Each structure stands twice: as structure tokens, then as C-alpha cells.
Amino acid sequence: MNNNITTIAFDADDTLWVNEPYFQEVEKEFCVLLEDYLPQHSVSQELFTTEMQNLHLYGYGVKGFMLCMIETISRISNGTASMQLINKTIDLGHQLLQKPIELLEGVTETLDSLKGKYRLVVATKGDILDQERKLKKSGLQNYFHHIEIMSDKKNSDYQKLLKHLDCEPSNFLMLGNSLKSDILPVLEIGGFAAHIPYHVTWTHEQHDHNLKHDNFTELERIDEILKHLSC
């Protein structure tokens, strides 16, 4: 790892705290609600199709997910679904917005070790209000110099972040669970990236590629990054 690293950014969902398992729990309940129209696996496929069609409009997060569930109901029921079914779906979304924040193992210890030695940043996608809520409930906000809630995580988004931070790519390290969003774009602009796989990954974020790069590090746990830095 480059000893010139000055700024370390962390993805939030499924890197700092649990997220995707909650979405999958809600999706399973949603599929059960609609099994009178389609088998559960088909409902799941229809929901994913709706999400991908609307991603450029809604972005990432619970609210977009709720809208996609409602649109999926309308489509597969041909507009005949009851308001009771719609209301149950809205309730599922509200439950998702009120899930507890469960920090992943090693997060607090890692941030304790890095604070004061590096400029720490959160760089995450999602709904602004929901991500702010989760960060506040996590109790981690005081560790971070800057919070960036991004509409997407492409090369240009990271370049914009680095410009705001007045940070060169060679001084920047990104940690996250998604190769597609957290790792590849950072490597492509000349930064450093460490992948921390999570046991559950949203289909849209999955990337089956054996990545080899001089600026890339594969970890099993977040606290393993300490061995690669001058802490």
C-alpha cells in the first residue's frame, strides 16, 4: 500500500453496517404478497426489472425501492391490485426505513486506529435522508471529516469527490464491498482500493471478475486494512 495515502474513504452499506440483508428480507415478504399473481421467484425477477428501468430516475435507496414495488404490483396485476395490497407494500418500505443499525465486525476498532492519522470520509450511494439517518444512528459521524452521499459511483463521481477534497488519486484509498461501485472506478482514476466482500450482494452490484491491479488489495475483514497502512 502506498505510504502517501492521506485520505481514506469508506462505503457505508454492507461495509460499515448491515444493509442488503434487510432489503432481501423485505423483498421476500413482498414476493409472498404477490404469489396470487406470479410465483415468488418470478415476482422477484419482475421487481428487479422495474428497478433497473427506473434506476436513472430514482437512484439508489429505500424510497426508489418502494416506488418500484408499487409499480411492479400495478404491472403484474394489470392494475387490478387492491389498495390493501398497496398499503401493505408501503408498510414494508416503512419497516425498511426503521431498521436498526448493526455495525459490522471490526468497524469501530478500525476507525479508532485511523482517526487523527488520516482524513476519513464516507462515500456512499443512496437516499440522502435515509443515509443521514443511518449515519446518525450508527454513532460513527464524529470519525469523519466529510460525508459524501453520491447519486452514483462512476469515475466522474469520484473525480468530483477528489476535487472537493483537494486530494490527488495517488493519495486516496477507498474501502468497500462492491467491486463495481467501490473498487473499479477508483482504480481507473489512479487511486487505491481495498475490497471487503460481504456475504450478500445486490444483483446489480455483483461483478464476477478476478481482479489484479497494483493498487488493489483484497481483505476478509475491515480491520485487516491496518496491516497495509502506516498506523
Side-chain angles (χ1 to χ4, degrees):
M1 186 69 67
N2 187 341
N3 289 330
N4 292 325
I5 295 295
T6 60
T7 301
I8 302 176
F10 296 82
D11 174 50
D13 295 335
D14 300 319
T15 297
L16 297 178
W17 52 65
V18 174
N19 180 66
E20 181 60 21
Y22 294 149
F23 274 84
Q24 294 202 0
E25 288 171 11
V26 166
E27 181 174 327
K28 288 178 182 177
E29 293 184 58
F30 174 71
C31 292
V32 170
L33 288 178
L34 293 180
E35 61 185 354
D36 287 344
Y37 296 98
L38 285 175
Q40 292 182 30
H41 71 276
S42 297
V43 175
S44 180
Q45 292 170 355
E46 290 293 334
L47 175 59
F48 183 70
T49 297
T50 308
E51 289 180 281
M52 292 303 98
Q53 289 174 346
N54 290 323
L55 196 55
H56 70 291
L57 295 173
Y58 301 155
Y60 300 85
V62 178
K63 293 174 187 174
F65 184 60
M66 292 171 69
L67 288 170
C68 287
M69 287 193 290
I70 293 170
E71 183 176 328
T72 300
I73 290 174
S74 176
R75 186 173 70 254
I76 67 177
S77 71
N78 292 318
T80 63
S82 66
M83 279 306 302
Q84 183 181 22
L85 184 56
I86 300 294
N87 288 335
K88 286 181 179 179
T89 299
I90 292 172
D91 285 342
L92 289 177
H94 287 169
Q95 291 173 30
L96 197 51
L97 286 167
Q98 297 173 49
K99 289 290 186 181
I101 302 304
E102 181 182 348
L103 296 182
L104 295 176
E105 189 174 1
V107 166
T108 303
E109 296 82 355
T110 300
L111 295 176
D112 279 333
S113 296
L114 296 176
K115 187 178 181 182
K117 300 169 185 173
Y118 298 89
R119 182 168 52 168
L120 305 183
V121 172
V122 172
T124 188
K125 292 188 295 191
D127 176 80
I128 291 178
L129 288 178
D130 189 37
Q131 294 296 61
E132 288 178 344
R133 173 192 68 84
K134 288 190 282 189
L135 186 62
K136 183 177 181 180
K137 282 192 170 185
S138 74
L140 300 178
Q141 62 266 45
N142 290 334
Y143 286 104
F144 299 107
H145 166 82
H146 177 71
I147 311 296
E148 188 79 8
I149 301 174
M150 309 159 79
S151 59
D152 208 341
K153 283 184 170 179
K154 296 180 180 177
N155 297 26
S156 59
D157 300 294
Y158 283 105
Q159 288 168 336
K160 181 180 177 181
L161 173 61
L162 291 180
K163 183 177 180 180
H164 177 78
L165 296 171
D166 193 22
C167 177
E168 294 295 325
S170 59
N171 302 133
F172 180 76
L173 167 65
M174 178 72 194
L175 283 78
N177 68 296
S178 170
L179 285 169
K180 182 177 179 181
S181 293
D182 302 320
I183 307 303
L184 293 175
V186 174
L187 296 177
E188 288 169 3
I189 66 171
F192 287 77
H195 181 227
I196 312 163
Y198 192 61
H199 68 281
V200 179
T201 303
W202 184 31
T203 303
H204 178 62
E205 295 291 347
Q206 293 176 4
H207 188 280
D208 53 351
H209 180 71
N210 186 19
L211 180 59
K212 294 186 183 298
H213 193 287
D214 289 343
N215 291 8
F216 173 69
T217 303
E218 184 78 43
L219 308 175
E220 291 186 4
R221 290 168 37 118
I222 193 170
D223 51 6
E224 290 181 1
I225 194 60
L226 301 176
K227 297 184 295 184
H228 299 272
L229 294 166
S230 303
C231 297

